[in-house]
Amino acid sequence: MGLRESPYSSRVLGGLDTTMRALLFPGYWLANEVLALQRCTGEKPRCAPYGLEVAVRGPLLLLLLLLYSPVSLLALLLWLPLQGARRPFAYQHTPGRARPEAWALPGPARTLRLLSGNVCLLPEGLAKFSNVWRTQWRARHIGQSLAQAAQCSTPCAPTGAPNGLAMPHGLPGGPAAVLGHPWGDPVVTVELLPVEEVGAVAGEANGPGEIAVRCPPNLDLLCLQEVFDLRASAHLRHFLAPQFEHIIHDVGTYGLQGCSALKLLNSGLFLASRYPLLAVEFHCYPNATGEDALCAKGLLCVQVQLGACQGRRVIGYLNCTHLQAPEADGPIRHEQLNLSLRWTQLFQDSHAQPGDVVAFDIFCGDLNFDTCSPGDAMEQGHEIFSRYIDPCRLGPCQDEPWAIGTLMNPLRIYDEAVATPESLKRTLENPEERRKYLAGPLQAEGSANLLATWHKGRRIDYTLYRQHWRPGHLKTAVEKVFFFTQLATCSDHLPVGLQLLVSSEVEPEAPARKDPL
């Protein structure tokens, strides 16, 4: 049985929710317009002076908001009880497009491409606190850009592999990298492609990292954060639906359901997949504080079906999250990571079936800590990095030479040097120039480290993966790690892409041999 599209099991409840949201919208719009009176650095001067606009529009908007507040309050009181019957996500299925080729066992090596990014699609008034604006325009632009990247998505075997099978590769100087097994086995081997074959960031040491203007074609999975605005979400779904048949949106619990405080915004998580979704779960973090307590941040867990062979499912796991934002809240983020690991394992244990072949297991999202800031020391040593592999990380407080920060300095995202995808790419490839535009490391108390004269920026957006080392599972190798500049000025984050080569060493089950009579 497939997923139900509506978050409500009853059409009556769904209709009531739609009606209450329609009654709440005028009050929401008026409050948003009041907050949007602030200016961001990218806005051009208008005909009327800014002070005059605030003096005229501000009181008028506040008066209308006050007059409409009784209707908003009544609608809110009627809407809150409905949330107890709401599933914490909505699902959009768009049939009709050509489905991706199913994965076969045994079969050719396959390339899996994932993109994760914080797109800052908050209501306009809140988005301006991050110095971005035009939320609806940005949503359409982001949707069009990502849809174009996913067009003509036909999986194929990597070039240079005879008969479509993956060639074994290893690290320079040895056949493979030896790592501690996440679950306690003595050692495992994870094969990485030779650095000379997979390109490099200009001006940096060789490695699989690449600063790219355009998102690569054939995207399989898309994980976005901060898609809070429901109209922006609708724009994204409109453009992405022709390329991604399965979309999870409006993720999170509203009201007082499942979390410790009143939730007025959802989690902001948004997931699109070309492959069918077998199971979806969302868990809300119970320890959010401050402004983060008003939104239902949590962990989204998804089980994806890639194919089947002889009754065995070929599946993948994708876990997406967005952790507590304020820099000084390291203990809260640490506990949220603990909860994430627990929920991830419970989800996989509860939805696994005998004979399943796991092709990938990815943990991604905006984790709001980096590997260069002394203030993030607690999160840098978290257990998650012993269970999942960060391809950009060498160890605590140390990244690969080719890795760069993903958080921009929000006050400078409209500067000419970073205002277009091409100029942003050129700037990021220059170590001296990029330090001017990437957010710098933090001190232990959470404030910016103004004395840091050398840094590669705060890399707070992660794409982690792990290998399931059990008989019959598939092997995973990192081909590329991308830092994309296509969304220049649309967000204060750089989207991150992960390209994995998944190869099969699974042999088909031999037919039963009949004994001679």
Side-chain angles (χ1 to χ4, degrees), residues 85 226 252 366-367 420 423 426 428-429 471 480:
E226 289 201 3
D366 179 357
L367 304 189
T420 66
S423 62
R426 288 193 298 269
L428 294 178
E429 288 175 339
K480 286 278 189 179

Short mmCIF file of all heavy atoms in Angstrom, two decimals, residues 85 226 252 366-367 420 423 426 428-429 471 480:
data_model
loop_
_atom_site.label_atom_id
_atom_site.label_comp_id
_atom_site.label_asym_id
_atom_site.label_seq_id
_atom_site.Cartn_x
_atom_site.Cartn_y
_atom_site.Cartn_z
N ALA A 85 -4.84 15.06 14.82
CA ALA A 85 -5.18 14.02 13.85
C ALA A 85 -4.32 14.11 12.59
O ALA A 85 -4.53 13.35 11.64
CB ALA A 85 -6.65 14.13 13.46
N GLU A 226 14.76 24.72 5.54
CA GLU A 226 14.16 26.05 5.65
C GLU A 226 13.18 26.35 4.52
O GLU A 226 13.11 27.47 4.02
CB GLU A 226 15.24 27.15 5.75
CG GLU A 226 15.96 27.14 7.09
CD GLU A 226 16.64 28.46 7.44
OE1 GLU A 226 16.52 29.42 6.66
OE2 GLU A 226 17.30 28.50 8.49
N GLY A 252 6.44 18.30 9.62
CA GLY A 252 6.53 18.79 10.99
C GLY A 252 5.19 18.74 11.70
O GLY A 252 4.13 18.56 11.09
N ASP A 366 21.48 20.78 7.49
CA ASP A 366 22.15 21.93 8.10
C ASP A 366 22.31 21.62 9.58
O ASP A 366 21.36 21.71 10.35
CB ASP A 366 21.30 23.18 7.87
CG ASP A 366 21.92 24.43 8.49
OD1 ASP A 366 22.98 24.31 9.14
OD2 ASP A 366 21.33 25.52 8.34
N LEU A 367 23.54 21.28 9.99
CA LEU A 367 23.79 20.89 11.38
C LEU A 367 24.22 22.07 12.24
O LEU A 367 24.37 21.92 13.46
CB LEU A 367 24.85 19.79 11.44
CG LEU A 367 24.55 18.52 10.62
CD1 LEU A 367 25.56 17.42 10.95
CD2 LEU A 367 23.13 18.03 10.84
N THR A 420 26.65 36.62 -8.81
CA THR A 420 26.22 35.70 -9.87
C THR A 420 26.89 34.35 -9.64
O THR A 420 27.93 34.27 -8.97
CB THR A 420 26.61 36.22 -11.26
OG1 THR A 420 28.05 36.23 -11.38
CG2 THR A 420 26.08 37.63 -11.49
N SER A 423 30.59 34.53 -10.85
CA SER A 423 31.49 35.33 -10.03
C SER A 423 31.69 34.70 -8.65
O SER A 423 32.79 34.76 -8.08
CB SER A 423 30.95 36.76 -9.89
OG SER A 423 29.69 36.77 -9.23
N ARG A 426 34.32 31.98 -9.04
CA ARG A 426 35.68 32.53 -9.14
C ARG A 426 36.17 33.00 -7.77
O ARG A 426 37.34 32.79 -7.41
CB ARG A 426 35.70 33.69 -10.14
CG ARG A 426 35.56 33.28 -11.59
CD ARG A 426 35.91 34.43 -12.51
NE ARG A 426 35.00 35.56 -12.32
CZ ARG A 426 33.87 35.74 -13.00
NH1 ARG A 426 33.51 34.84 -13.92
NH2 ARG A 426 33.10 36.79 -12.78
N LEU A 428 35.22 31.95 -4.75
CA LEU A 428 35.45 30.83 -3.83
C LEU A 428 36.70 30.04 -4.20
O LEU A 428 37.31 29.40 -3.33
CB LEU A 428 34.24 29.90 -3.83
CG LEU A 428 32.95 30.48 -3.25
CD1 LEU A 428 31.82 29.46 -3.35
CD2 LEU A 428 33.14 30.90 -1.80
N GLU A 429 37.10 30.08 -5.45
CA GLU A 429 38.31 29.37 -5.86
C GLU A 429 39.58 30.11 -5.47
O GLU A 429 40.67 29.55 -5.54
CB GLU A 429 38.28 29.14 -7.38
CG GLU A 429 37.26 28.10 -7.81
CD GLU A 429 37.17 27.98 -9.31
OE1 GLU A 429 37.57 28.94 -10.02
OE2 GLU A 429 36.69 26.94 -9.78
N PRO A 471 26.49 -9.33 4.73
CA PRO A 471 26.53 -10.12 3.49
C PRO A 471 25.42 -9.70 2.53
O PRO A 471 24.26 -9.57 2.92
CB PRO A 471 26.33 -11.56 3.99
CG PRO A 471 26.80 -11.54 5.40
CD PRO A 471 26.46 -10.19 5.93
N LYS A 480 32.32 12.24 -6.12
CA LYS A 480 32.43 13.70 -6.11
C LYS A 480 31.73 14.28 -4.89
O LYS A 480 30.74 13.74 -4.41
CB LYS A 480 31.77 14.30 -7.36
CG LYS A 480 32.54 14.13 -8.66
CD LYS A 480 33.62 15.18 -8.80
CE LYS A 480 34.23 15.15 -10.20
NZ LYS A 480 35.25 16.18 -10.37
#
